[in-house]
Structure formats: C-alpha cells, structure tokens
Amino acid sequence: MDNRRIGVFDSGLGGLTVMKELMALLPNESLVYFGDTGRIPYGTKSEETVLKYTRSDINFLQTFHLKAIIAACGTASSIALPKLSGQYDIPLLGVTKAASRRAAAVTRNGRVGVIGTTGTIRSGAYRSFLEEENPEIQTVSVACPMFVPLVEYGYAEKEAAKMIAKDYLQEIIESGADTLILGCTHYPLLKKVIGEVLGDSVTLINPGECVAGDVKKLLEENDLLSKEKQTEQYQFYVSDDPAEFIRLGSMFLERPIDGLVSRIDIEKYN
Amino acid sequence: MDNRRIGVFDSGLGGLTVMKELMALLPNESLVYFGDTGRIPYGTKSEETVLKYTRSDINFLQTFHLKAIIAACGTASSIALPKLSGQYDIPLLGVTKAASRRAAAVTRNGRVGVIGTTGTIRSGAYRSFLEEENPEIQTVSVACPMFVPLVEYGYAEKEAAKMIAKDYLQEIIESGADTLILGCTHYPLLKKVIGEVLGDSVTLINPGECVAGDVKKLLEENDLLSKEKQTEQYQFYVSDDPAEFIRLGSMFLERPIDGLVSRIDIEKYN
C-alpha cells in the first residue's frame, strides 16, 4: 500500500480526458495534474522544444512526493518519452505505448490507423511501438491539426467538423484499417463525428483509457495502490491564468474544478 | 537620413503579412523580424502572459540598433501596447491603433466591425481606440478563434472555412457595419472568403497596411528614412526550429526566406 500521489501532465487541458479515466479506474488514488497552458500547444512545435517543455513539466511534478508520472499529452508521449526513458527514478508512463499495445491486441486484419498532432505523426512513435508489438502490423498515420481547434472552439458537433473529418480520414478509410488510435487528448471528444465518418467496423482506441489500465496494473503488481482517499485528492496546476482552464476543464472532466487550480511559473523548472 | 533598422515582432509567422506591407511601402528600409514560434499563440493566452511575452520580444529586438519597433501581432498590440506605451525610448507602433484610425476615417455610417483573436476582442482595445477617434462610432466585435488554424492548416480556400466564416460574421452582418477591421495577422489571408460572406458593401481594413503607412509617416516627418539599402536588409529570428517558419513563411511573405532565419532562446529575454 502506498498513499503517494500520481502526477499527470499535458500541454494544456486536453489531458483532463486522461485524468478522467484515471479517476474512474482508480478512485482511491490522489492525482496532481499540470497543464502547460502558458506554452500550449506542443503538437505544432519542434522535437527539441517539446523535449525541453516535457523536461520542465516532469521537473515541476517531481516537487511532489509521487509514485508515478503519466504523460497524458500525445505529443510529449510520442516525441519526448522515448528519449527520456531511464532518466528518472520514478515510473514514467505515456499514452503512446499504452495505446499501441491495445491496438496491436485488438486489430483483426493487422492494419492500424493513427491520427494525432503534426508532432506526434512526424515522430513516427506510434509506428515504432506498433512494430515492436507485432512487426507484421501495417500503420497508416494522418496528422489532423484542425481537430484540436474544432474541439476547443466549440465546433466538435457542427457540420464543418464532419467535412474536415471526412477530408482527414479519407486515407484511413482507403487503407482498410479496422482499428484507429485517437492519438491526441482532444480526439475522444470528436468520437461521434469520427465514428460517423468511419462507420461501425472500425474500433476506436482511446489512449487515455489504455494508460489508465497500465497504471492500475503497475500499482497492483507492485503493491502500490492507495489504501484510502487523501484530503485534497485532486490538485491542478497551470502555467497561465486558471480562468479559461477552469471553464473549459469542466467540459473535459465532466465535473467542476473551481477552487482546485493554481498557477505556477513553469519556466523556472526548465 | 537614418540607416538604423526597424524591428518587427509577432507571436509567430502571421506578422509576415505586416512585414510584406513594410517591405512594399518602404523598400530602402532594413527590417529585423522576431516571431515567437516557441510560445505561439498569444491570442488564447491571458493578459498577464501576453504582457510578459511582449516585453521579452521587445527586449530581444532592442539588442539591435533600431529606430522603431512595430508590434505586428494583433493580440500584443491590443493587450500589451497600451500598457507599455511610454516605457521605451524608441517609438513603439502597433497595428490596433493604426487600423482604428483608418477605420474611423473610412466608415460612412459610423458602424465598425472588428474581428480578432479571443485575447484581442476581450481586451476591448479596438473599441477604446475607435472611441478615441470618434466617440460616435458603434463597434461590434467578434472573436474568431478558428480563423488562424483554418489559414495555418490549409483550409482558407475550402468550404469548411466559408461555413465557419458565415457563423462568425453573422453578428457583423446584422449590425449593419460598413467597415470591418481584420484584427489578426492571419485574416488578410481569408480576405476572399470574408469578402464573399459580407459582400462588396463592407470595406475590409488590413491593419498591416495601416501600420506600414504610419511608419512611413513617422520616418518622413522625423527625417528618419534610410538613404540606401543595407546588406542583410532582412533578418528573421524565431524561438523554435526555423524549418516550419521557413516553409510557411514564404506563403505569408510571397518570397523565399531560406538562409535568413536564425533561432534564439526567447526565455533569456524575459
């Protein structure tokens, strides 16, 4: 039994979709979340910059007494985690590896689609992880940079989102993939429109759900589960004004977070 | 006569639309451009963060020997410039004031529309500047956060852009405004679709063109024009990997900039 907290970080508020999965699957765990809202997005920035920002996110989280750190951000998981693995004493889990394992397990025809930010797709991390799982798997990857703004600016349910989704997903449809990894935190919020475009025959993989499963397994196998809920079970930190995070965060988390969010200067942790 | 350079800054590459206007109107001037691509965008961030980032952009530009600094960024011009005016020895010009003056001069019915980022619209800077010009002017402002991604991700000419533009511009149409300020560097690249939605009776104001006119006037009136072209007439600095800036920059500037772009660490100038 181990009552230490679990740290979660993301480029902004998208990682709250991962936080939600962790809360649901591990209701006794205490979680501390950092969203780098002052430097968001990561998905359009260079590998070097994403690596630098990820390091400072981890440095900040390590000021807490933690038993594991989760990279909720698809871009940080894809670009930075493979380069940082082994550099920290604490278990560091990312969404990319977790989702690749799940996708490799569920695909029937060995063709897996991956959608994500420009940075995630350019990194080739999903392709590498999927090949590690099964060298026979064929991966088709498409960067969908419009998906994050469509979600953040309230267009997820509108006709424009469907038109853009049809455009982006054409290559996935043509590939015959039977499984699609929603490789960015925001994409589960487009599940409806993506499902409509692809039809029922394609299984959608939510990386947040997969990594939550990995965390549960890690804690169980190492006898690290929390015995009981702690006071201040959930804490949130951001690097810009918390107001917008609080407002949109409730949409992602499906519960109010007012009063639990503090601001820090992330550049001090570079 | 004064051969010192003019500094121009923006949150990223959008400011190149302003740079283009300066190059066209002042062909003998030497210009140094900084795009904060490592921390882009400004338009969705808080006032405090935009102010901090703008200060470091100016600090960096002041390492050059300059005769004026132009805030090409609509958000920085709207949020930070009113707070920073008088704090520097060097003339500091922004797009917001320049565009407000022009709009106030050209409107026939006294109703002016303003579109911009969330930060620009929330600041109320356009409304204040327009009222300063003419207290009778009625301003109708709409934040259009989808417009930047539509331009950056290649959707400016597609049907989805028109659908979203119709949505955003509905309030402008209903207001009866005869003049619309394109209050963000990217919006001139949506001029065609905005023009189609609004029709010919609405005059579109490009703030980059307005501020270039202001700079020319300032230089002429103070005998500060360059006598002749300098070597290295145009230099570009960015805070992330230059590759993407070089690629997209040619679209904004309509000329190649390969070999002229260097990377700096902007956080050192905070």
Side-chain angles (χ1 to χ4, degrees):
Chain A
M1 296 299 179
D2 185 334
N3 288 337
R4 285 178 299 169
R5 293 172 188 278
I6 297 167
V8 181
F9 71 91
D10 181 55
S11 59
L13 54 81
L16 294 175
T17 59
V18 179
M19 190 80 172
K20 197 177 79 174
E21 302 294 339
L22 288 163
M23 287 169 165
L25 200 65
L26 296 160
N28 279 340
E29 298 301 323
S30 298
L31 305 169
V32 52
Y33 182 95
F34 172 66
D36 196 4
T37 52
R39 305 191 293 193
I40 195 177
Y42 288 3
T44 55
K45 289 172 187 150
S46 71
E47 291 213 4
E48 194 186 333
T49 294
V50 172
L51 191 59
K52 176 184 166 183
Y53 290 175
T54 303
R55 276 206 185 98
S56 48
D57 300 343
I58 295 172
N59 290 344
F60 167 66
L61 282 177
Q62 287 206 305
T63 62
F64 297 86
H65 194 49
L66 302 178
K67 56 187 171 188
I69 292 178
I70 320 301
C73 176
T75 308
S77 296
S78 297
I79 291 178
L81 253 56
K83 292 190 172 65
L84 295 175
S85 85
Q87 289 186 25
Y88 297 92
D89 292 335
I90 188 170
L92 194 55
L93 288 85
V95 282
T96 313
K97 193 162 189 171
S100 300
R101 200 177 304 131
R102 175 81 62 88
V106 305
T107 179
R108 290 142 292 155
N109 68 10
R111 292 199 283 276
V112 175
V114 180
I115 56 175
T117 64
T118 308
T120 295
I121 300 306
R122 193 175 46 206
S123 77
Y126 269 111
R127 188 181 302 274
S128 304
F129 281 129
L130 286 162
E131 277 174 10
E132 257 176 45
E133 293 297 320
N134 178 354
E136 307 275 289
I137 285 179
Q138 287 177 279
T139 307
V140 54
S141 310
V142 181
C144 302
M146 286 299 297
F147 278 179
V148 169
L150 285 168
V151 170
E152 292 208 352
Y153 308 136
Y155 279 83
E157 310 270 325
K158 297 200 181 173
E159 190 56 28
K162 196 158 180 182
M163 290 179 70
I164 291 169
K166 273 183 186 160
D167 196 10
Y168 282 146
L169 299 174
Q170 190 54 35
E171 206 180 325
I172 305 290
I173 294 170
E174 283 167 11
S175 75
D178 68 359
T179 305
L180 179 69
I181 297 173
L182 306 176
C184 169
T185 51
H186 286 62
Y187 297 1
L189 293 156
L190 285 166
K191 212 168 175 173
K192 188 166 160 276
V193 73
I194 292 169
E196 280 167 14
V197 172
L198 293 181
D200 290 341
S201 60
V202 178
T203 305
L204 303 182
I205 305 285
N206 175 354
E209 208 185 299
C210 305
V211 81
D214 279 9
V215 175
K216 190 178 182 196
K217 200 163 160 247
L218 173 85
L219 299 183
E220 282 173 349
E221 288 177 357
N222 296 279
D223 199 22
L224 293 172
L225 283 163
S226 277
K227 210 164 83 183
E228 61 210 349
K229 287 183 193 182
Q230 304 295 300
T231 53
E232 300 192 315
Q233 193 183 5
Y234 304 125
Q235 293 175 297
F236 302 86
Y237 294 86
V238 289
S239 52
D240 197 356
D241 189 311
E244 188 68 3
F245 181 86
I246 290 165
R247 196 182 67 77
L248 277 172
S250 61
M251 177 173 96
F252 281 81
L253 210 54
E254 295 172 7
R255 70 158 77 190
I257 51 173
D258 208 3
L260 306 176
V261 188
S262 311
R263 179 177 184 166
I264 59 130
D265 181 359
I266 191 63
E267 291 178 356
K268 285 189 184 154
Y269 299 88
N270 282 343
Chain B
M1 295 299 178
D2 185 335
N3 288 337
R4 285 178 297 169
R5 293 171 189 277
I6 298 167
V8 181
F9 71 91
D10 180 56
S11 60
L13 53 81
L16 294 176
T17 59
V18 180
M19 189 81 170
K20 198 178 79 174
E21 302 294 339
L22 288 164
M23 287 170 165
L25 200 64
L26 297 160
N28 278 339
E29 298 301 322
S30 298
L31 305 168
V32 52
Y33 182 96
F34 173 65
D36 196 4
T37 52
R39 306 192 292 193
I40 196 176
Y42 287 4
T44 55
K45 289 171 187 152
S46 71
E47 291 213 5
E48 194 187 334
T49 294
V50 172
L51 190 60
K52 175 183 167 183
Y53 290 175
T54 302
R55 275 207 184 96
S56 49
D57 300 343
I58 295 171
N59 290 344
F60 167 66
L61 282 177
Q62 287 206 305
T63 63
F64 298 87
H65 194 50
L66 303 176
K67 57 186 171 190
I69 292 178
I70 320 302
C73 177
T75 308
S77 296
S78 297
I79 291 178
L81 252 57
K83 294 190 171 65
L84 295 175
S85 86
Q87 290 187 23
Y88 298 92
D89 292 334
I90 188 169
L92 194 56
L93 288 84
V95 282
T96 313
K97 193 162 188 172
S100 300
R101 200 176 307 130
R102 174 81 61 90
V106 305
T107 179
R108 292 142 288 157
N109 68 11
R111 292 198 283 276
V112 175
V114 180
I115 55 175
T117 64
T118 307
T120 295
I121 299 307
R122 194 175 44 205
S123 76
Y126 269 110
R127 187 180 303 274
S128 305
F129 282 127
L130 285 162
E131 277 174 9
E132 256 176 47
E133 292 297 322
N134 178 354
E136 308 275 289
I137 284 178
Q138 286 178 281
T139 307
V140 54
S141 310
V142 181
C144 303
M146 285 300 296
F147 278 178
V148 168
L150 284 168
V151 170
E152 292 208 352
Y153 308 136
Y155 279 82
E157 310 270 325
K158 297 200 181 172
E159 190 55 29
K162 197 159 179 181
M163 289 179 71
I164 291 169
K166 274 183 185 161
D167 195 11
Y168 282 145
L169 299 174
Q170 189 54 37
E171 206 181 324
I172 304 289
I173 293 170
E174 283 167 11
S175 75
D178 68 359
T179 305
L180 179 69
I181 298 173
L182 307 176
C184 169
T185 52
H186 286 61
Y187 297 2
L189 292 156
L190 286 165
K191 212 168 175 173
K192 190 166 160 273
V193 72
I194 292 169
E196 281 168 13
V197 172
L198 294 181
D200 290 341
S201 59
V202 179
T203 306
L204 303 183
I205 306 284
N206 175 353
E209 209 185 297
C210 305
V211 82
D214 280 9
V215 175
K216 191 179 180 193
K217 201 162 161 245
L218 173 85
L219 299 184
E220 281 173 352
E221 288 178 357
N222 296 280
D223 199 20
L224 292 171
L225 284 164
S226 278
K227 210 163 83 184
E228 61 209 349
K229 287 184 193 182
Q230 303 296 298
T231 53
E232 299 191 316
Q233 192 183 4
Y234 303 125
Q235 292 175 297
F236 302 86
Y237 294 85
V238 289
S239 52
D240 197 358
D241 189 314
E244 189 68 2
F245 181 86
I246 291 166
R247 197 181 67 77
L248 277 171
S250 61
M251 177 172 98
F252 281 80
L253 210 53
E254 294 172 7
R255 70 158 76 190
I257 50 173
D258 208 3
L260 305 175
V261 189
S262 311
R263 179 177 185 165
I264 59 129
D265 181 359
I266 191 62
E267 292 177 357
K268 284 188 184 155
Y269 299 88
N270 281 344

